[in-house]
Amino acid sequence: MDRMGSLRLAHLLLLICFITGCLRTVSLSAQQPHPVTSVQDTETPAQRDARMEWWRAARFGMFIHWGLYAVPGGVWEGKPSNGAGEWLMHDDKIPVADYQKLVSQFNPTQFNAHDWVALAKAAGMKYIVITSKHHDGFAMFDSQFGFKPNPFNIVSATPFKRDPLKELMVEAQKQGIKLGFYYSQDQDWTAPGGAAFGGHWDKAQDGDFANYLHTKAIPQLTELLTKYQPAIIWFDTPTADMTPQLASEIVTLTNKYPNLIWNNRLGGGYKGDTETPEQQIPPKGFPGQDWETCMTINDTWGFKTNDTSFKSTETLLHNLIDIASKGGNYLLNVGPDAHGIIPPDEADRLRAIGKWLDTNGEAIYGSGPTAFGDEDGAYSTTEKDKNGKPVWVSQWDWRSTTKPGKIYIEIFKWPNGAFHLDKVPGQIADAYLLADPAHKPLKITQKGSVADINLPQQPLDPLATVLVLETSH
Ligand code: JFZ
């Protein structure tokens, strides 16, 4: 088998491991109650609504994958990798000691917390989730733990010596944006006993998983929660090692922070707060549930020198609107490089989305899902996928979001003359374009639930122009 083929096979095997791990977790949770009840198990619906309120209104967040893997940037011993930047150590089976040597080259002197937070704000993002420790085990904050076989964090082990998470915490507070931490609680490829999908490849990784949790993951999560007051903990890649009992020890910790929001990737049968579809938008979202699609701008989370397949601003903005119309959040990733710079191709796109939101944010923040429901597409009646399920065929003409008394129509494909709707709930009393400062009334023709709204010849914004319908019943 060639290299590409074997890598693809490796990834397939990883995915199977991941899925069987999840299935085991799910069946365990169906069999037994949680050893420790979590906030989600005991709070009232009203308490949950209060806890999730800011998150639900936010709609748009910045994911940041930044770690030691930014140094190789997806290239090891001259060979570019096909996998994600942050998976390089695993994909190339790099020995622990060799990987750890990268610390002397990690000196991101151009890192500027003010600029990163300002960029998130300029993009119209309401929260940031940054990797505090990814699967490689390297902590991006000042930590007293994980010191075996040597201190493996940015403050103790690199010439940089600064604590970027602390600096981001200060700036996030100053500029008024929520800050959360991704923490790889299960996989840790450099700590003895930490899990690795597909198994360990270096003797230095062997050890007891519970011991790893007790000596590194739980102490580090405690440091993060006590010293940085994150709004979110974003767990990842649970394996079968994370038994209900072990997961419950983490839940005992998170329970001490009644406002904390955490996702569905802890493991051990805990559901957390949010569904986390990855790199895709489920056709109908998760009705009645909190969910967040995380997505890369190019094809990697952690920085890769060779990855320039950036999605267009239009695609990214349409994704944000699509997700909002289905009641979810968009956690869009940037991968800063080893100097501390967010790639300009990523930053430019974020600023363009922010510019659109400056004018049209009313249709996104705090909005409810679509008033219609067929505009996003349909399952094909002829085409089936490899599992025999009908293929989803997306439509990208327009989307809809709502607020009490208002229907927003985000128009992607400008129609000729009038915008036609078949199933209007209620009577349209007023119609105008959100980007028109005068909100000049547009001509409405409505018979029952069928309506036509006269539009100007040209859209006000070729990316998306928002039509506002004010309704009465
Ligand atoms: C995980 C990480 O392994 C990856 O490096 C990145 O941090 C990403 C956000 O999360 O990758 C996953 C996790 C879950 C799935 C796929 C990749 N999944 O559910 O298919």
Side-chain angles (χ1 to χ4, degrees), residues 248-266:
S248 76
E249 296 184 34
I250 294 178
V251 169
T252 299
L253 177 62
T254 56
N255 277 349
K256 292 184 189 151
Y257 301 88
N259 298 321
L260 188 70
I261 293 171
W262 48 280
N263 67 353
N264 65 343
R265 297 189 184 186
L266 171 59

Side-chain angles (χ1 to χ4, degrees), residues 3 7 68-103 105 135-137 152 188-191 196-197 199-206:
R3 190 183 139 77
L7 263 168
L68 196 53
Y69 39 79
V71 172
V75 181
W76 194 253
E77 291 173 346
K79 285 200 312 287
S81 112
N82 294 315
E86 74 284 1
W87 274 80
L88 184 73
M89 179 185 179
H90 185 282
D91 289 349
D92 282 27
K93 301 286 170 279
I94 300 171
V96 171
D98 292 352
Y99 189 81
Q100 289 185 323
K101 284 193 195 115
L102 290 170
V103 290
Q105 295 173 60
H135 310 328
D136 66 354
F152 201 45
D188 189 314
W189 305 327
T190 51
F197 276 14
H200 294 150
W201 58 88
D202 181 336
K203 277 198 308 295
Q205 298 168 318
D206 291 344

Side-chain angles (χ1 to χ4, degrees), residues 33-331:
H34 296 153
V36 170
T37 55
S38 62
V39 172
Q40 297 86 356
D41 295 330
T42 55
E43 70 192 337
T44 66
Q47 285 170 324
R48 177 174 177 81
D49 288 346
R51 194 164 61 83
M52 297 304 293
E53 191 183 359
W54 74 262
W55 189 91
R56 288 175 186 164
R59 286 284 175 263
F60 194 24
M62 176 183 271
F63 215 175
I64 306 177
H65 275 71
W66 196 40
L68 196 53
Y69 39 79
V71 172
V75 181
W76 194 253
E77 291 173 346
K79 285 200 312 287
S81 112
N82 294 315
E86 74 284 1
W87 274 80
L88 184 73
M89 179 185 179
H90 185 282
D91 289 349
D92 282 27
K93 301 286 170 279
I94 300 171
V96 171
D98 292 352
Y99 189 81
Q100 289 185 323
K101 284 193 195 115
L102 290 170
V103 290
S104 64
Q105 295 173 60
F106 195 30
N107 193 13
T109 51
Q110 293 180 63
F111 166 72
N112 184 314
H114 171 274
D115 293 354
W116 285 18
V117 172
L119 176 64
K121 292 210 66 173
M125 292 160 153
K126 303 293 188 191
Y127 60 108
I128 295 173
V129 178
I130 183 168
T131 47
S132 60
K133 184 201 85 168
H134 206 270
H135 310 328
D136 66 354
F138 182 72
M140 292 295 285
F141 60 102
D142 190 10
S143 178
Q144 300 303 308
F145 300 95
F147 270 61
K148 280 179 198 158
N150 50 50
F152 201 45
N153 68 73
I154 190 162
V155 177
S156 315
T158 75
F160 189 51
K161 292 190 169 60
R162 280 160 54 190
D163 180 342
L165 297 198
K166 180 106 311 148
E167 294 178 26
L168 282 169
M169 179 191 85
V170 170
E171 272 303 323
Q173 258 161 21
K174 250 192 225 163
Q175 299 188 44
I177 194 169
K178 302 270 186 187
L179 180 64
F181 297 135
Y182 170 109
Y183 189 89
S184 179
Q185 80 286 5
D186 194 320
Q187 289 199 81
D188 189 314
W189 305 327
T190 51
F197 276 14
H200 294 150
W201 58 88
D202 181 336
K203 277 198 308 295
Q205 298 168 318
D206 291 344
D208 177 54
F209 181 75
N211 185 55
Y212 148 73
L213 265 197
H214 293 145
T215 58
K216 184 170 180 183
I218 292 177
Q220 286 195 330
L221 281 165
T222 307
E223 290 179 313
L224 289 170
L225 285 162
T226 54
K227 295 189 188 159
Y228 302 78
Q229 290 115 38
I232 297 170
I233 296 284
W234 216 97
F235 297 112
D236 203 9
T237 62
T239 70
D241 288 345
M242 189 65 82
T243 59
Q245 194 58 48
L246 289 172
S248 76
E249 296 184 34
I250 294 178
V251 169
T252 299
L253 177 62
T254 56
N255 277 349
K256 292 184 189 151
Y257 301 88
N259 298 321
L260 188 70
I261 293 171
W262 48 280
N263 67 353
N264 65 343
R265 297 189 184 186
L266 171 59
Y270 286 93
K271 291 251 175 307
D273 294 307
T274 56
E275 296 297 313
T276 53
E278 178 153 331
Q279 302 287 35
Q280 46 109 2
I281 304 170
K284 297 296 169 191
F286 292 85
Q289 277 175 279
D290 292 303
W291 64 277
E292 177 190 64
T293 280
C294 55
M295 199 182 279
T296 51
I297 295 181
N298 50 5
D299 291 332
T300 182
W301 302 94
F303 177 75
K304 276 179 90 172
T305 29
N306 297 322
D307 186 338
T308 54
S309 52
F310 302 106
K311 297 173 186 75
S312 68
T313 298
E314 183 179 58
T315 295
L316 298 170
L317 177 63
H318 289 189
N319 284 342
L320 171 63
I321 297 169
D322 185 31
I323 289 166
S325 82
K326 292 163 183 173
N329 283 10
Y330 196 25
L331 186 62

